[in-house]
Amino acid sequence: MNENDVVACLANILMIAGSDKKFTHQEQEIVEKVRLELGADDALLEQAVALVHGGNYQITPVGRFSDQVRNLEDMLLVSMADNTLAMEEKKEILHFAQQLKLTQDQINRMLAQTKALLKGAGCCNACGTPLDPSGNFCTECGAKIK
Ligand SMILES: [Zn+2]
């Protein structure tokens, strides 16, 4: 991804983090995690903040499909970090997912994975199903949980 794409990815996250007008500590931590994942420096993050504060920014998928999916995952993470998916956030995220041409099934799976991730249970290495932290085997494919 070029620098413009990285800025757009960050701006997408910031839009979701800021759309309920509250910017919690946990949301800040996720933004920081995403910044590091993207290899963006503070200057690029500031560009993204400026873009969002400009008021006309629209959440847009950028980069390759895999970049877009990861961006969506991070958007879900930041939106669910405070345990609620606000209506406005939900609308923005669904619109983004539709632009990626994801099915409702795929979206539901990503939602479940994000919930599991936030609970710290993680997902099955074999099939990606969110895991029950108390179980020894994946309920979906039967793989052993390490
Ligand atoms: Zn499995």
Side-chain angles (χ1 to χ4, degrees), residues 39-119:
D41 57 18
D42 284 337
L44 289 183
L45 181 59
E46 272 167 35
Q47 277 185 43
V49 170
L51 210 60
V52 170
H53 282 177
N56 292 321
Y57 185 72
Q58 297 250 328
I59 292 177
T60 318
V62 288
R64 287 184 300 180
F65 183 68
S66 58
D67 299 320
Q68 297 170 354
V69 168
R70 197 169 68 170
N71 200 203
L72 177 60
E73 282 171 353
D74 289 332
M75 282 159 62
L76 284 170
L77 197 61
V78 84
S79 71
M80 290 162 77
D82 52 8
N83 279 322
T84 55
L85 193 54
M87 271 319 286
E88 196 54 34
E89 293 172 348
K90 203 172 177 175
K91 227 169 59 187
E92 295 275 17
I93 289 174
L94 276 180
H95 181 62
F96 187 93
Q98 281 158 1
Q99 286 178 280
L100 267 56
K101 304 210 185 324
L102 296 177
T103 66
Q104 190 60 49
D105 253 19
Q106 289 170 310
I107 297 169
N108 289 345
R109 185 166 282 242
M110 287 177 80
L111 276 170
Q113 282 177 356
T114 307
K115 270 186 204 152
L117 201 67
L118 286 168
K119 270 196 288 185

Side-chain angles (χ1 to χ4, degrees), residues 124 126-129 138 140-143:
C124 174
C127 74
T129 298
C138 171
E140 183 69 25
C141 76

Side-chain angles (χ1 to χ4, degrees), residues 126-144:
C127 74
T129 298
L131 296 171
D132 175 354
S134 63
N136 292 320
F137 297 92
C138 171
T139 52
E140 183 69 25
C141 76
K144 191 162 170 36

Side-chain angles (χ1 to χ4, degrees), residues 13-14 16-34 77-84 89:
I13 304 290
L14 290 170
I16 296 299
S19 69
D20 56 5
K21 307 282 179 245
K22 286 177 291 183
F23 205 62
T24 64
H25 180 69
Q26 202 177 4
E27 285 174 336
Q28 285 173 25
E29 271 180 14
I30 295 169
V31 170
E32 182 61 11
K33 174 188 91 78
V34 175
L77 197 61
V78 84
S79 71
M80 290 162 77
D82 52 8
N83 279 322
T84 55
E89 293 172 348

